[in-house]
Amino acid sequence: MSIDAGPRLPRAFDAGLAGQFCRLDRSGAPPIALPVRRWRADANRSDRWLLRACQGPTVDLGCGPGRLVAALAERGVPALGVDSSDVAIRLCRARGAVALRRDVFEPLPGEGRWHHALLADGNIGIGGDPVALLHRVRGLLSRRGSVLVELTRRSGLWRGPARLVASDGSDSGWFPWAQVGLDALPAVAASAGLSVRRSRAGRRPYAELTPTA
Ligand SMILES: C[S@@+](CC[C@H](N)C(=O)[O-])C[C@H]1O[C@@H](n2cnc3c(N)ncnc32)[C@H](O)[C@@H]1O
């Protein structure tokens, strides 16, 4: 089923990236508070699973202010952040991380050669169609590459219009978004030609996906 939820908005996350407390309104589902402090902070222990999985050139899709890109670079792992927001790219570069302002669905450097692609902090929701996104991300990977995804603690798959509402009352406008729980991931991944190599449940659930033969 395709959901017509409107256009992708390149600046939808800007209020949160700039440090305002934000909630995410989801059509037909309860709103959720967004971890904007984590986006702007340095990488911490809860990012370790993701960081350890990246053993070669890594592209961080929807990198935000770039804590993971910077942490990978510090570990000697070549890393590129990609984000559609000027605010994100400015913050990224200010902390010394390499970043490109680009929509993830547009052509990117190194297509077919990345060892890892990161979709951290719910970014599997970008575009509102996780199968289409993972299919696109699969095209970025080398033959033995992997996608590292962070999932929601909630079960199932939610897709629909969402918007950010900031503490000053401003909102982003509605854009298509999605959330994927660990239980829903195998079917979503399989539809994109990927399979779940390993996963970790917990406060921040993660999974590593690899191309199926
Ligand atoms: C939920 S925030 C996550 C930030 C970062 N990954 C983190 O963990 O701190 C989502 C980020 O994805 C970016 N984004 C949303 N849609 C995008 C798209 N189509 N292409 C590139 N970046 C996008 C937003 O600008 C925002 O910085």
Side-chain angles (χ1 to χ4, degrees):
M1 181 176 74
S2 95
I3 293 174
D4 180 12
R8 291 194 292 272
L9 301 179
R11 286 173 288 280
F13 287 83
D14 278 8
L17 295 169
Q20 279 201 65
F21 171 79
C22 287
R23 69 166 201 264
L24 185 76
D25 282 353
R26 301 173 298 155
S27 174
I32 47 181
L34 291 173
V36 296
R37 278 209 196 127
R38 185 167 71 226
W39 299 348
R40 291 168 58 87
D42 289 339
N44 66 26
R45 290 177 53 180
S46 71
D47 294 310
R48 216 180 276 162
W49 193 95
L50 286 178
L51 294 170
R52 281 189 180 151
C54 298
Q55 297 291 326
T58 299
V59 60
D60 183 0
L61 302 168
C63 60
R67 74 178 188 288
L68 299 175
V69 184
L72 288 170
E74 271 168 28
R75 291 167 177 234
V77 176
L80 171 70
V82 173
D83 204 291
S84 54
S85 157
D86 285 326
V87 175
I89 297 303
R90 200 172 59 242
L91 291 167
C92 228
R93 291 179 180 159
R95 69 183 347 149
V98 180
L100 182 66
R101 190 175 66 75
R102 191 78 54 87
D103 189 298
V104 300
F105 288 97
E106 291 174 351
L108 291 174
E111 301 240 358
R113 295 202 299 275
W114 293 99
H115 291 200
H116 306 284
L118 282 171
L119 288 169
D121 211 350
N123 281 0
I124 194 168
I126 287 177
D129 180 345
V131 173
L133 177 65
L134 288 176
H135 191 268
R136 189 281 175 271
V137 175
R138 188 179 187 275
L140 293 172
L141 299 178
S142 62
R143 203 165 47 86
R144 301 174 70 179
S146 71
V147 193
L148 287 316
V149 293
E150 181 172 349
L151 303 150
T152 172
R153 271 179 294 170
R154 295 162 188 83
S155 61
L157 168 66
W158 174 86
R159 294 178 60 194
R163 67 175 180 176
L164 252 76
V165 181
S167 46
D168 67 3
S170 61
D171 79 75
S172 62
W174 294 94
F175 57 91
W177 197 249
Q179 290 180 319
V180 181
L182 265 176
D183 59 332
L185 186 63
V188 168
S191 301
L194 296 161
S195 58
V196 181
R197 177 192 279 170
R198 62 194 177 112
S199 62
R200 190 198 77 164
R203 201 171 59 82
R204 296 181 64 191
Y206 296 124
E208 180 167 28
L209 312 177
T210 50
T212 43

